[in-house]
């Protein structure tokens, strides 16, 4: 196990450098970011030149990348154009997005898995068909439609929630946005669990457990669910990263000042420091989530062991 | 059974949380009503650090307008530059000015405002090492080249044209005659700065201190700012409300939704997609008034194809081929007004705005347009590619409409096409590096309500924003002459003569004047926008 973890950690290094380099190059080919700083007028050339040298933009790209990476390892992610440290931006944005992601994951687990179990055990019955159709609808509607619709109905028409989330983004204001972020994944989790459960109900060990005279609830939760969760855990694990980076649309709709908003702002203003910094952290989150998923396999199914 | 209890617990938690939101909704941000009432207003994250000489966009400008007062202030209604902190500004030759600062003004931290507060602030703004984006505002002052050279290191740390005479008086020597110069002093870049700005710069930036009707109570960068009325404010434009809460919105559509749901009092930028509903949603609480912004089509004169003897005719023809009336009505829902000169209606007739100055050259006339374009040798390269940035501002719609209009006139579906560029920064870098070889969308937002500001920085030979590199001796001479004119009316009419040169040459095609738009809730009254399309916050009253 220990050797496996170390090997996985070593594998992360080239992935980490590769992705950050790619992002760095992509942001850099978009043109001169200083040109956009002065609005519809030209920046005065002397100031522009000085800003460029201050942000290191006058050096060749490879040199910029090396300097940047060197700084990152000392914990310095550079400065955004508005004078704020990128680490400061991260300090405000990440907690909010993590909270939103947790709410989303919570819904995925609670609603997704319970619906999956219910439908998986009642395959072909009306409940199953209804949930299948519902998940199909959820998957086929883009999140911004769901988001705007819920905002309009719950926020403006019925006044149940505030249409926008306040800057501190307390947990109770994140429930509806979290549901919106989770919606599509939730539908997938339901379907994955359903298939997995449906398959395993016919497995030998379930028949044995039932034959032993175990109560049905124990059979379902201890034996059936535990073994059926492996694909679901894989999905939810990889989804953590996807949710954090992919909440751009939802964060915009509900005015959540999280990672998605900072990334969007950074791309619009071509602020390479912000974009690369945030993406670097997201890459790390992705890698860590994948590692944890792989390690969880062994916990869920003792037959899977890594040497 | 362990698993089962976990699931049950989770379901209960979800139910409780949902119930909590239901209770949490509905309370609005406002405090008490009347003179202490707080107005909540939408905001965008300022692009630059909040320093007077470093703020060149509306969002940061909004705050500066609340916390700073300069030597002059533009009347929010008429745009006239009135004395604010200036006791008097005197000159004999339009080049040497003596400024006397009014006694009795202080910063909100109690520090007295003296001539030094101004001189230090201006020297800071002009110095190259401080990276101030509005440094060029000090370019008329003598010695600017030494503190802010085009390239290389600065040879001086302060402007030689600024001299402190005594506590409340200082003199300014300009590098050329400029009769309207005192009228430029209402721009926030010329604001005075307290000592703490220089001694504790980082501290000041995290909570700026100024001398305006409001003070900053709390500033959370990137998300919100609470401004409160400054009770000891010495000016006569005291705040009529208790304060302003600015909230940063990720999207102005969300701000608008918040306004309609009653969570926000003021939105100063109604999103284009809501313009159709705004009348039914807000009725009289929707404001749509002219702002000092003009939008144009600029041409690349550095490209030989465009700098031809017949070129002027082609450009005049193109101008006449654009149906401005139709586009402003249908695409912009009348939030733009067809342009007929190169200034803006906010200047007023006395300030230099002249409706119809451009005449028939800016009026739609299909037959004449086609004739002129053909006489001038046709569209260079056979096709007009209008460059614009595709990321913000919904420029695609109107560029396509302009092209449709031109195509119809030319009887050719491919005569004009839009050429989108991904981001604003990329668009601007291509414009400023002279990489475009066709026309591009251009625009000018005034710095101060003066006709000079609409012409000189944009069209004068090698001026800072003359991106197309147009150059015309006759135009330059008239601008110089106008600047030297002592009589304001004469100066304005000479500037208009310079504009007439532009009718003949059509260096850029004026399209339309942009309006400022705002919507507000039933909680507040007396909402208006100034010429910069910024709400006049201190006049807002809370019911």
């Amino acid at each position: 196990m220990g050797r496996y973890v170390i090997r996985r950690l070593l594998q992360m290094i080239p992935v980490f450098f590769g992705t950050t380099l790619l992002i760095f190059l992509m942001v850099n080919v978009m043109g001169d970011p200083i040109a956009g700083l002065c609005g519809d007028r030209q920046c005065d050339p002397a100031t522009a030149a000085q800003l460029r040298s201050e942000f290191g933009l006058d050096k060749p790209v490879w040199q910029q990348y090396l300097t940047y990476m060197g700084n990152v390892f000392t914990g310095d992610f550079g400065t955004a154009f508005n004078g704020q440290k990128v680490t400061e931006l991260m300090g405000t944005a990440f907690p909010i997005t993590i909270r939103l992601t947790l709410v989303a994951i919570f819904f995925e687990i609670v609603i997704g898995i319970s619906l999956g179990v219910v439908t998986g055990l009642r395959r072909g019955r009306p409940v199953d068909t209804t949930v299948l159709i519902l998940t199909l609808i959820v998957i086929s509607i883009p999140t911004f439609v769901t988001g705007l619709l819920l905002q309009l109905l719950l926020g403006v028409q019925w006044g149940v929630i505030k249409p926008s989330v306040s800057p501190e983004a307390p947990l109770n204001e994140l429930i509806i946005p979290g549901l919106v972020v989770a919606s599509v994944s939730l539908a997938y989790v339901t379907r994955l669990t359903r298939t997995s459960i449906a398959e395993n109900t016919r497995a030998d060990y379930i028949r044995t457990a039932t034959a032993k005279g175990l109560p049905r609830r124990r059979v379902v939760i201890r034996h059936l669910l535990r073994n059926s969760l492996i694909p679901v855990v894989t999905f939810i694990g990889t989804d953590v990263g996807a949710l954090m980076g992919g909440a751009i649309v939802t964060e915009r709709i509900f005015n959540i000042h999280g990672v998605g908003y900072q990334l969007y702002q950074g791309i619009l203003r071509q602020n390479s420091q912000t974009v690369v910094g945030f993406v670097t952290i997201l890459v790390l989150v992705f890698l860590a989530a994948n590692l944890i998923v792989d390690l969880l396999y062994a916990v869920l199914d003792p037959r899977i062991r890594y040497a | 059974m362990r698993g089962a209890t976990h699931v049950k617990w989770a379901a209960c938690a979800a139910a409780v949380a949902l119930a909590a939101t239901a209770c949490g909704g509905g309370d609005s941000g406002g405090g008490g009503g009347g003179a202490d009432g707080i107005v909540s207003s939408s905001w965008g994250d300022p692009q630059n650090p909040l320093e007077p000489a470093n703020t060149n966009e509306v969002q940061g400008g909004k705050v500066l307008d609340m916390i700073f007062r300069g030597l002059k202030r533009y009347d929010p209604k008429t745009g006239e530059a009135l004395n604010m902190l200036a006791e008097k500004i005197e000159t004999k030759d339009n080049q040497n000015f003596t400024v006397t600062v009014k006694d009795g003004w202080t910063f909100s931290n109690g520090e007295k405002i003296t001539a030094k507060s101004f001189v230090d602030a201006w020297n800071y703004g002009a110095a190259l090492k401080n990276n101030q984006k509005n440094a060029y505002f000090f370019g008329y002052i003598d010695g600017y080249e030494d503190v802010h050279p085009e390239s290389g290191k600065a040879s001086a740390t302060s402007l030689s044209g600024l001299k402190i005479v005594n506590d409340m008086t200082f003199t300014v020597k300009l590098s050329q005659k400029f009769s309207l110069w005192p009228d430029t002093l209402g721009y926030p870049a010329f604001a005075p700065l307290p000592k703490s700005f220089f001694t504790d710069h980082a501290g000041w930036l995290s909570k700026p201190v100024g001398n305006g009707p409001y003070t900053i109570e709390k500033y959370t960068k990137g998300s919100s700012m609470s401004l409160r009325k400054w009770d000891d404010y010495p000016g006569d434009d005291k705040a009529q409300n208790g304060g302003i809460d600015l909230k940063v919105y990720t999207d102005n559509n969300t701000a608008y939704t918040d306004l309609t749901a009653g969570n926000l009092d003021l939105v100063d930028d109604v999103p284009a997609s809501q313009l159709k509903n705004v009348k039914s949603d807000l009725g009289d609480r929707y404001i749509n008034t002219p702002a000092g912004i003009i939008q144009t089509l600029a041409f690349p004169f550095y490209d030989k194809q465009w700098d031809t003897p017949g070129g002027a005719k082609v450009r005049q023809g193109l101008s006449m081929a654009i149906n401005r009336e139709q586009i402003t009505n249908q695409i912009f829902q009348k939030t733009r007004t067809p342009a007929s000169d190169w200034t803006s209606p906010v200047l007023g007739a006395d300030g230099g705005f002249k409706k119809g100055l451009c005449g028939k050259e800016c009026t739609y006339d299909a037959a004449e347009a086609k004739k002129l374009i053909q006489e001038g040798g046709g569209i260079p390269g056979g096709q007009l590619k209008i460059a614009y940035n595709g990321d913000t501002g919904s420029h695609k719609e109107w560029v396509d409409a302009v092209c449709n209009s031109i195509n119809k006139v030319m009887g050719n579906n491919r005569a004009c096409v839009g050429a989108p560029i991904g981001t604003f920064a990329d668009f601007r870098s291509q414009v400023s590096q002279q990489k475009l070889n066709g026309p591009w969308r251009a625009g000018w937002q005034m710095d101060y309500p003066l006709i000079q500001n609409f012409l000189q920085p944009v069209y004068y030979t090698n001026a800072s924003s003359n991106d197309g590199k147009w150059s015309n001796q006759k135009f330059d001479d008239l601008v110089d002459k106008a600047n030297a004119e002592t009589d304001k009316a004469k100066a304005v009419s000479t500037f208009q003569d310079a504009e007439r040169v532009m009718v003949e040459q059509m260096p850029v095609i004026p399209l339309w004047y942009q309006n400022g738009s705002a919507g507000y809730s039933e909680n507040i009254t007396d909402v208006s926008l100034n010429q910069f399309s910024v709400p006049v916050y201190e006049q807002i009253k809370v019911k």
Side-chain angles (χ1 to χ4, degrees):
Chain A
M1 189 75 170
R3 195 182 288 169
Y4 174 75
V5 174
I6 290 169
R7 207 169 62 210
R8 283 294 308 267
L9 286 173
L10 286 178
Q11 280 171 359
M12 282 178 172
I13 296 171
V15 177
F16 175 74
F17 281 104
T19 39
T20 44
L21 179 64
L22 269 180
I23 293 294
F24 208 86
L25 292 177
M26 280 194 253
V27 177
N28 266 280
V29 292
M30 293 203 301
D32 178 12
I34 300 295
L37 276 186
C38 297
D40 264 326
R41 69 182 73 208
Q42 199 169 322
C43 283
D44 109 78
T47 311
Q50 182 152 328
L51 281 171
R52 234 169 252 135
S53 79
E54 204 156 278
F55 287 108
L57 294 166
D58 52 347
K59 304 218 174 64
V61 179
W62 64 267
Q63 210 174 326
Q64 286 182 40
Y65 178 72
L66 286 185
T67 333
Y68 181 81
M69 278 329 238
N71 288 339
V72 162
F73 281 105
T74 60
D76 174 14
F77 280 85
T79 311
F81 289 147
N82 67 355
Q84 266 183 292
K85 287 257 171 236
V86 175
T87 41
E88 203 179 300
L89 291 177
M90 288 175 176
T92 55
F94 269 100
I96 293 175
T97 297
I98 289 173
R99 224 174 299 152
L100 180 66
T101 311
L102 287 180
V103 173
I105 298 274
F106 174 78
F107 280 123
E108 278 182 28
I109 293 175
V110 174
I111 304 182
I113 295 184
S114 1
L115 281 181
V117 172
V118 170
T119 52
L121 291 175
R122 292 180 178 69
R123 224 156 21 109
R125 307 260 191 85
V127 190
D128 182 33
T129 327
T130 320
V131 172
L132 273 186
I133 293 173
L134 278 178
T135 52
L136 189 69
I137 293 174
V138 170
I139 291 170
S140 55
I141 298 177
T143 31
F144 73 88
V145 178
T146 341
L148 285 173
L149 207 67
L150 284 179
Q151 184 185 42
L152 186 72
L153 289 179
L154 297 175
V156 181
Q157 300 289 337
W158 303 332
V160 183
I161 58 162
K162 282 191 196 177
S164 71
V165 173
S166 49
E168 301 80 32
L171 208 54
N172 60 347
E173 290 184 14
L174 289 178
I175 289 173
I176 297 299
L179 200 58
V180 172
V181 173
S183 59
V184 172
S185 303
L186 197 152
Y188 282 122
V189 168
T190 307
R191 293 186 147 219
L192 265 177
T193 318
R194 173 189 174 270
T195 319
S196 198
I197 292 264
E199 238 167 53
N200 286 335
T201 36
R202 278 166 296 176
D204 292 340
Y205 61 86
I206 297 295
R207 209 180 317 135
T208 314
T210 321
K212 271 200 298 197
L214 285 178
R216 181 168 164 77
R217 189 178 272 174
R218 192 163 171 81
V219 173
V220 170
I221 288 165
R222 284 294 296 187
H223 296 263
L224 181 57
L225 194 55
R226 184 170 168 167
N227 284 291
S228 309
L229 276 185
I230 291 179
V232 182
V233 167
T234 319
F235 180 80
I236 293 178
T238 45
D239 210 35
V240 172
L243 286 178
M244 287 187 85
I248 294 188
V249 176
T250 315
E251 290 196 355
R252 249 175 91 78
I253 292 174
F254 289 100
N255 192 38
I256 301 169
H257 298 202
V259 171
Y261 167 63
Q262 292 295 347
L263 267 177
Y264 175 79
Q265 194 93 318
I267 291 169
L268 264 194
R269 292 180 182 171
Q270 263 184 46
N271 202 331
S272 45
Q273 312 275 341
T274 327
V275 178
V276 182
F278 274 84
V279 172
T280 305
I281 300 291
L282 284 179
V283 167
L284 287 176
V285 171
F286 251 103
L287 293 174
N290 270 309
L291 180 67
I292 292 170
V293 167
D294 283 357
L295 297 180
L296 264 184
Y297 281 163
V299 179
L300 281 171
D301 188 346
R303 285 173 301 177
I304 309 176
R305 281 277 186 254
Y306 304 102
Chain B
M1 291 297 221
R2 227 170 359 145
T5 25
H6 276 297
V7 173
K8 234 189 235 161
W9 175 84
C12 292
V16 169
L18 277 169
T21 21
C23 318
D27 76 309
S28 71
D36 297 326
I38 308 293
V39 180
S40 59
S41 172
S42 71
W43 197 29
D45 192 18
Q47 200 174 0
N48 303 307
L50 277 176
E51 299 166 285
N54 204 14
T55 296
N56 56 359
E57 36 78 58
V58 182
Q59 303 304 340
K62 228 184 244 184
V63 176
L64 295 182
D65 195 50
M66 286 190 260
I67 63 167
F68 275 110
R69 286 293 179 263
L71 290 168
K72 293 248 181 188
R73 174 163 167 81
Y74 303 114
D75 186 294
K77 283 219 172 62
T78 62
E80 199 188 339
L82 305 169
N83 279 348
M84 195 77 206
L85 266 71
E87 181 76 50
K88 51 185 193 263
I89 300 173
E90 294 165 315
T91 180
K92 288 193 183 88
D93 55 0
N94 285 322
Q95 191 166 1
N96 289 287
F97 295 84
T98 308
V99 181
T100 314
V101 182
K102 262 184 207 158
D103 217 357
W105 280 75
T106 61
F107 291 101
S108 58
N109 62 5
E111 185 188 326
K112 192 170 188 281
I113 298 176
T114 62
K116 194 170 172 343
S117 316
F118 284 97
V119 172
D120 285 351
W122 295 7
N123 276 327
Y124 180 90
L128 177 59
K129 67 171 180 351
N130 298 325
N131 289 339
Q132 303 286 294
K133 290 177 194 80
N134 288 337
Y136 62 94
F137 275 94
F138 306 98
Y140 293 104
I141 300 173
D142 210 27
Y144 179 73
E145 298 74 28
D146 299 330
V147 296
H148 198 116
E150 289 259 342
S151 58
K153 283 219 167 79
S155 57
T157 52
S158 55
L159 292 159
S160 61
L162 292 180
K163 292 231 162 54
I164 297 177
V165 177
N166 59 39
D167 242 17
M168 303 312 275
T169 318
F170 66 103
T171 58
V172 184
K173 181 171 188 265
L174 303 185
S175 51
Q176 57 178 311
K177 282 182 195 286
F178 185 5
S179 60
L180 296 179
W181 181 78
D183 284 1
T184 68
L185 297 176
Y187 193 75
F190 293 103
L193 286 169
K195 284 198 189 84
S196 59
F197 178 87
F198 305 99
T199 52
D200 176 20
H201 193 66
W204 192 90
L205 281 183
S206 64
K207 199 176 168 189
V209 172
N211 64 329
Y214 292 98
T215 58
I216 294 173
E217 187 187 67
K218 202 172 127 225
Y219 178 22
T220 317
K221 274 188 189 164
S223 62
S224 62
M225 181 185 270
S226 300
L227 294 124
R228 291 294 171 264
K229 178 182 180 176
W230 178 30
D231 289 324
D232 300 331
Y233 174 67
D236 48 14
D237 53 343
K238 274 187 192 300
Q240 302 297 311
N241 47 57
I244 310 287
D245 278 344
L246 296 175
K247 295 189 197 170
V248 170
Y249 278 88
T250 49
D251 186 353
N252 56 1
N253 272 300
T254 313
Y256 185 81
T257 312
D258 248 2
L259 175 72
T260 50
N263 284 325
L264 190 71
D265 291 329
L266 176 63
V267 167
D268 64 354
D269 179 21
V270 177
S273 54
Q274 302 287 359
L275 287 175
K276 280 185 191 135
N277 321 326
V278 72
K279 279 267 162 59
S280 61
D281 284 349
L282 301 175
D284 292 345
R285 289 177 285 117
Y286 167 59
I287 306 176
N288 179 21
T289 51
I293 307 169
I294 181 169
Q295 284 177 334
T296 57
L297 269 191
F299 293 94
F301 288 90
Y302 46 80
D303 186 334
K304 273 193 293 249
Q305 282 195 88
W306 282 102
D307 202 11
T308 58
K313 270 192 175 167
V314 176
R315 293 187 298 271
Q316 283 175 337
L318 288 171
S319 169
M320 294 169 81
I322 299 168
N323 194 339
R324 295 173 177 78
E325 201 72 46
Q326 200 181 33
I327 295 172
T328 48
N329 283 348
Q330 291 180 358
I331 309 258
F332 292 119
Q333 310 280 332
K334 302 201 176 177
T335 57
R336 307 278 194 281
T337 313
S340 55
D341 77 343
W342 281 266
T343 65
S344 159
V346 298
L347 293 181
D350 290 343
F353 168 65
K354 187 155 188 162
K355 196 179 173 182
L357 180 136
C358 181
K360 68 175 174 44
E361 277 79 3
C362 292
T363 316
Y364 181 65
D365 182 344
E368 182 72 13
K370 192 172 182 183
K371 202 180 113 209
L372 276 173
I373 295 174
Q374 280 166 350
E375 276 177 19
I379 296 169
Q383 192 180 39
L384 197 70
K385 287 188 183 138
I386 302 179
Y388 61 93
N389 55 309
D391 55 351
T392 47
S394 44
H395 295 301
K396 184 186 185 326
E397 282 88 353
W398 70 259
V399 170
D400 286 350
V402 164
C403 273
N404 265 332
S405 189
I406 293 173
N407 289 343
K408 234 196 240 157
V409 166
M410 299 300 289
N412 171 4
N413 258 335
R414 306 289 303 158
C416 172
V417 292
I421 294 173
T423 60
F424 179 69
D426 195 15
F427 170 72
R428 280 305 305 168
S429 77
Q430 294 201 26
V431 168
S432 57
Q433 291 174 39
Q434 280 116 50
K435 281 193 183 148
L436 297 172
N437 40 28
W440 63 88
R441 70 140 200 107
W444 184 253
Q445 170 153 26
M446 66 174 187
D447 302 312
Y448 27 80
L450 283 185
I451 184 171
Q452 178 268 349
N453 189 243
F454 279 95
L455 301 178
Q456 193 168 7
V458 209
Y459 309 117
Y460 195 84
T461 301
N462 285 326
S464 56
S465 286
N466 188 345
D467 293 325
K469 302 283 164 209
W470 181 64
S471 170
N472 184 292
Q473 193 58 48
K474 203 171 150 197
F475 177 86
D476 291 357
D477 290 346
L478 283 165
V479 168
D480 288 339
K481 197 178 148 208
N483 275 331
E485 208 77 68
T486 346
D487 181 42
K488 188 171 175 186
K490 253 203 179 141
V492 165
S493 79
T494 316
F495 273 120
Q496 285 172 339
D497 290 341
E499 259 189 282
R500 289 191 182 93
V501 177
M502 296 175 63
V503 182
E504 289 160 27
Q505 292 295 318
M506 198 62 74
V508 305
I509 297 176
L511 293 172
W512 32 75
Y513 312 117
Q514 189 173 322
N515 288 4
S517 66
Y520 55 96
S521 73
E522 280 161 347
N523 293 337
I524 56 175
T525 58
D526 293 86
V527 183
S528 61
L529 296 174
N530 67 13
Q531 311 81 24
F532 303 96
S533 76
V534 171
V536 189
Y537 285 104
E538 72 271 5
Q539 290 178 358
I540 297 176
K541 290 196 177 99
V542 181
K543 275 183 196 168

